[in-house]
Amino acid sequence: MASEGLLEEEAGEAAVGLRDGKLGAWPLEEILRVEPDGASLLVHRCGRTQGATPRDPKPFRSADPRPRRLTRHTIRLAGAAEAAELAHRVSAALLAAFPPRRLLCVINPRAGGLRGVQLFASRAQPVLEAAGAQLDVRVTCSPGDATRWVHDAPLDAFDGVAVVGGDGTLNEAIEGLTTRPDAKRACAKLAFAHLGGGTANAIMHNIAMECDEASDMVTAAFLAVHGQPRAVDAARAWATNGRSRPLVLSVMWGLISDIDQESEWLRCCCPWPCGCSRVEPYICLRVCCLRRYDAVIDYLPADAPPPPDEEFYGQAGNYPKSALLPADASSYPPPGWKRFEGSINLLFAGNAAWADPDFPMAPDARLSDGAISLIVTHGSGACGLLGMMLKLLEGEHTSEHQHVLAERVRAFRIAPARGAPSAIGIDGEYISRVVDADGVTTALPVEVVSYPATLRLFMGAQRAPAVEPIAMSRS
C-alpha cells in the first residue's frame, strides 16, 4: 500500500503542504524542489527538526529555535502520470512563490577556524542548490576583496549577496554596495544573507531571533532562498580623520571592545576543550582588572526627524557629514541634544538586540525599528559589573540596573578622553587610534547617524499562496 500525497491548504492557517501520512503537513515554503521518479515523487525539503519549543521565550529570543535540516523524501503514488502531474503542479507553485535566486557568494576562507570553504560546501551550498539558486562563488584572498566584488558586480546579474564569514566580512560587502555610483538603486535591489562562519555571527543571530528561527548556517541558507527581502535600518559613521563607513549592527567601546579585540590572538586556540569561546577568559580578566574609560557622549533622541537617506548613499563615494551633525566639535552639544560625561564601563550602540549570541545588549532593539539603541554602563565596580552582566544574560539590565543608561537615539557622538584605553569598534572592525606629540594614544571621536530602511536583508520565510488541493489515489 503506497502512502498518500496531498497538496492542500491546512486548516487554521494559510499553509500549503504535502502530506505523506507519516511526517504530517509540510508547508510549501519548506519545500525546495520536487521531481518525478517513475511512480514516485522526490521531495527536497528544508524543515525544522522535531523537538520542543520554549514555553515562554523572551521577546528578543526565537520562539522556535529548532534547527532546520535538508532532507529528501520519496512519496510513492499510484502511477507515473500522477507523479508527473503532482510534480508539475508543485513546481509551478514553487516557481511562482519562490523564483530561483541569483546569488553572489563571498566566502572568507579563514572563517570557522579556517574552514569557511568547507562549511559552505557542506552546510549552505546543498540548500542553495536544492532550491535552484544560481551561484557565483568567490573566495577572498585579502582584505577588500568582498568590497571590490560587490562594488563591481553587474546589478542586473544578481538578486542578492550571501556572505560566509564574520560580521566584519559582511560589513566589507555592504561597504562595496554603498560605495557604488548607483548605490541607492543597488541597495533597493540586492539583499544580503549572512550565512555565518565567524566568531560571533551577530547579524546572522539577530536575523534568526527576529524570524523565530535557529541561528545556524543551514537555516541562514534557507532564508537566503525562501526568505523575504526586508528593509532594515543602517547607519553611517564619520571619524575625525575624514573616513566614513556604513554599519548595520553596532558601535562599541570600552570593556566590550577591549574583550573582543584583545582576545583575537586566541582564535587559533578555539574551540577550547572546555567548550568556552575565545572571549570568556578575557571577560574574567577585564572585569577583575577594570580600566577607566573616560568619554563625552552626546546624543540626539530618536523623536527627532530622520535625515534624508541620500546622505547614507552619498555621491560617487563622497559622504559629506550629515546635516544633523554640527560642523565642528566645539558646537557640541547643539540644541535638542543631550550629554553624558564621565567614566563608563562600556558603550554599545546597536541596530539590533544581540551583540553576539550570548549577550542581548539592547533587548528592545530590532533591525527595522527606525533608531539606534544606545546602551552605556557607568559607575560600576567589579562586583557591580558582574551583577549587571548576570542580568544582561536575561536582557534585564536596561530596566533593573541603576548604572545603565538606555536611550533610543537618532544620532550620537562619542569622544574618548585623551589617553583613554580601547579602540572604537564598528561592526567588528576597529578604527585606528592616534598617537600625539607626547606619545599618548587616544581613540578618534566618532559621529554616527541612523538611516531607517536603507538596506535589505533576507529575513523570515514568506508564506506561499494557496493552490487547489490534489488528492492522490492509493495504489
Side-chain angles (χ1 to χ4, degrees):
M1 183 72 69
S3 62
E4 183 180 21
L6 294 176
L7 183 62
E8 63 178 16
E9 182 173 350
E10 294 180 355
E13 60 177 353
V16 182
L18 290 172
R19 178 177 298 164
D20 70 355
K22 183 179 292 183
L23 298 178
W26 297 340
L28 188 62
E29 57 264 22
E30 292 185 355
I31 299 171
L32 303 181
R33 186 173 80 245
V34 296
E35 51 193 350
D37 181 22
S40 299
L41 189 71
L42 301 182
V43 181
H44 301 259
R45 173 174 168 262
C46 192
R48 301 180 192 270
T49 58
Q50 299 298 317
T53 59
R55 293 185 178 181
D56 186 24
K58 298 279 188 179
F60 51 84
R61 289 198 171 99
S62 172
D64 192 352
R66 292 176 298 165
R68 293 182 180 272
R69 63 188 180 98
L70 180 64
T71 54
R72 190 179 76 170
H73 305 269
T74 300
I75 301 178
R76 302 188 185 281
L77 304 172
E82 283 186 311
E85 171 65 14
L86 183 55
H88 174 75
R89 294 293 300 276
V90 177
S91 296
L94 286 172
L95 183 62
F98 312 105
R101 286 184 171 143
R102 302 163 300 169
L103 300 175
L104 173 60
C105 300
V106 177
I107 304 175
N108 181 351
R110 298 181 61 83
L114 305 180
R115 296 176 58 242
V117 175
Q118 294 90 331
L119 289 173
F120 174 77
S122 62
R123 300 182 186 180
Q125 190 170 0
V127 176
L128 302 176
E129 292 181 341
Q134 300 176 33
L135 309 179
D136 182 348
V137 180
R138 306 184 189 183
V139 180
T140 63
C141 295
S142 59
D145 284 348
T147 300
R148 185 178 69 258
W149 292 337
V150 176
H151 180 277
D152 297 339
L155 187 58
D156 295 330
F158 299 101
D159 301 305
V161 180
V163 176
V164 176
D167 301 305
T169 306
L170 179 62
N171 186 269
E172 279 192 32
I174 291 172
E175 187 167 7
L177 196 66
T178 59
T179 53
R180 296 171 60 109
D182 57 351
K184 186 169 185 178
R185 176 171 172 256
C187 290
K189 183 182 186 298
L190 299 184
F192 286 92
H194 188 202
L195 304 184
T199 303
N201 303 315
I203 296 176
M204 181 186 79
H205 187 75
N206 277 288
I207 292 172
M209 296 303 99
E210 293 195 23
C211 297
D212 291 330
E213 294 279 359
S215 181
D216 60 56
M217 188 173 286
V218 172
T219 301
F222 169 75
L223 294 178
V225 289
H226 277 198
Q228 177 70 40
R230 183 190 301 177
V232 299
D233 304 334
R236 185 162 286 283
W238 288 268
T240 53
N241 62 3
R243 185 182 178 188
S244 173
R245 60 192 303 171
L247 68 99
V248 177
L249 180 63
S250 66
V251 174
M252 55 187 184
W253 185 71
L255 179 70
I256 189 172
S257 60
D258 276 355
I259 291 171
D260 182 59
Q261 189 176 30
E262 294 177 5
S263 64
E264 277 289 318
W265 70 276
L266 291 176
R267 284 183 185 273
C268 61
C269 306
C270 297
W272 288 22
C274 61
C276 68
S277 70
R278 66 179 174 89
V279 302
E280 289 169 5
Y282 264 87
I283 290 176
C284 297
L285 174 63
R286 290 273 63 90
V287 170
C288 293
C289 304
L290 283 179
R291 293 168 170 169
R292 183 179 179 91
Y293 305 95
D294 292 329
V296 176
I297 302 167
D298 296 300
Y299 58 93
L300 178 65
D303 54 8
D309 56 14
E310 284 75 13
E311 291 183 355
F312 176 76
Y313 302 118
Q315 297 178 352
N318 183 33
Y319 305 95
K321 282 179 57 174
S322 171
L324 290 181
L325 302 174
D328 57 78
S330 62
S331 301
Y332 277 100
W337 287 58
K338 298 181 179 180
R339 167 168 287 189
F340 177 92
E341 184 173 5
S343 179
I344 71 171
N345 301 121
L346 62 87
L347 175 144
F348 176 86
N351 271 330
W354 296 82
D356 65 24
D358 295 319
F359 296 107
M361 288 294 306
D364 296 329
R366 298 296 181 268
L367 285 164
S368 54
D369 63 6
I372 296 173
S373 291
L374 178 65
I375 309 296
V376 179
T377 70
H378 57 91
S380 293
C383 293
L385 194 57
L386 285 173
M388 184 276 294
M389 295 187 76
L390 290 175
K391 292 180 180 293
L392 168 60
L393 294 173
E394 296 301 319
E396 298 173 350
H397 57 294
T398 58
S399 59
E400 297 186 12
H401 201 282
Q402 61 179 336
H403 296 297
V404 177
L405 168 71
E407 295 277 355
R408 282 169 47 82
V409 304
R410 178 69 56 211
F412 71 94
R413 177 181 187 265
I414 174 173
R418 182 174 181 267
S422 182
I424 296 174
I426 298 177
D427 277 2
E429 301 298 319
Y430 289 88
I431 297 176
S432 298
R433 293 185 288 175
V434 296
V435 181
D436 63 20
D438 297 325
V440 178
T441 303
T442 304
L444 293 170
V446 171
E447 299 166 296
V448 179
V449 176
S450 171
Y451 297 91
T454 44
L455 290 176
R456 299 205 308 166
L457 298 174
F458 289 119
M459 301 284 281
Q462 60 193 80
R463 286 288 189 178
V467 299
E468 181 181 353
I470 299 177
M472 308 308 300
S473 60
R474 298 176 181 271
S475 59

